[in-house]
Amino acid sequence: MAHLTFRQAREEDHAPIVASIQTWWGETRTPEEARELSLLLPRLFLQHFAATSLIVERRPDAEESDAAGPGVAGASPGGAGPSRVGAGAAAGALAGFLVGFHSPDRPGTAYIHFVGVHPELRHQGVARQLYERFFARAVAAGRQEVRSIVSPANKPSIAFHHSMGFRPEGGDYESDGVPVHRDYDGPGHDRISFRRVLSAPPAPEA
């Protein structure tokens, strides 16, 4: 079993994330298309939104995972800490990431911008853990909803967001029964606007 450590992102994670995007999506895209995809994540996201973004690293054994240091130990849904999934990805390497932020203009909203998981670790619950941790942190910060934008061509992502409780908002037309906003990101760039309502944590007992 692989030992995964979840932690808060840092600016220095930008280069490994960009390299991973160009590698992990290389199976379904040309090198040029993968490079263009990585441009959707400029360094500014890790300069200004690292505190709300998450990194997953694979550790070679339990001892190294459990010795992560102050502020990292613990496995609550919103915190960092070790987790176990099937083997895959090089030990100590980047295994996944979620880049998101709490909107400064919409005080009740959090937004997930870009998520990636190592191909060998997909379908093992890693992305779900990233989302759940992001949800928990958003709730703790007083956010009531999470939003995310998905291309109508990205069927796996659409299915995943549905499974995570997201619902698409009304658009200009439907594609496979899902409402789509025409030219959302510019001419020819149609998008699905997903929204998930967050549940507030239970009130402490008196």
Side-chain angles (χ1 to χ4, degrees):
M1 299 291 285
H3 296 266
L4 301 182
T5 297
F6 292 74
R7 64 168 174 83
Q8 179 178 306
R10 300 186 287 262
E11 182 178 349
E12 54 265 33
D13 293 315
H14 180 256
I17 288 175
V18 168
S20 295
I21 293 172
Q22 296 179 9
T23 302
W24 296 352
W25 276 266
E27 298 178 356
T28 57
R29 288 174 169 80
T30 66
E32 180 60 24
E33 289 172 338
R35 187 192 71 80
E36 290 182 0
L37 184 65
S38 70
L39 296 178
L40 295 176
L41 197 60
R43 180 177 290 271
L44 69 88
F45 279 95
L46 277 301
Q47 289 175 325
H48 300 284
F49 304 118
T52 51
S53 299
L54 296 162
I55 294 293
V56 189
E57 293 173 321
R58 182 173 186 271
R59 297 301 181 185
D61 52 47
E63 287 75 17
E64 185 172 349
S65 292
D66 294 338
V72 176
S76 62
S83 179
R84 296 167 68 92
V85 300
L94 179 68
F97 63 87
L98 182 153
V99 176
F101 57 88
H102 299 168
S103 172
D105 291 343
R106 300 183 180 185
T109 301
Y111 184 83
I112 295 176
H113 174 65
F114 206 127
V115 182
V117 175
H118 191 288
E120 295 179 7
L121 295 175
R122 290 173 186 167
H123 310 296
Q124 298 185 48
V126 178
R128 178 174 293 273
Q129 290 188 63
L130 283 167
Y131 271 65
E132 289 175 347
R133 283 169 164 77
F134 184 83
F135 294 164
R137 290 182 172 199
V139 168
R143 305 290 162 149
Q144 292 88 47
E145 65 175 13
V146 176
R147 291 178 177 270
S148 187
I149 302 300
V150 177
S151 166
N154 194 341
K155 305 303 182 185
S157 182
I158 293 171
F160 175 75
H161 280 83
H162 275 293
S163 75
M164 293 301 299
F166 285 83
R167 296 295 177 261
E169 296 190 306
D172 304 305
Y173 69 96
E174 288 192 358
S175 175
D176 295 329
V178 180
V180 180
H181 295 263
R182 181 177 287 108
D183 299 335
Y184 185 93
D185 278 332
H189 297 284
D190 300 355
R191 298 289 184 265
I192 298 167
S193 178
F194 276 111
R195 175 176 180 263
R196 186 191 193 279
V197 176
L198 296 174
S199 299
E205 296 184 4

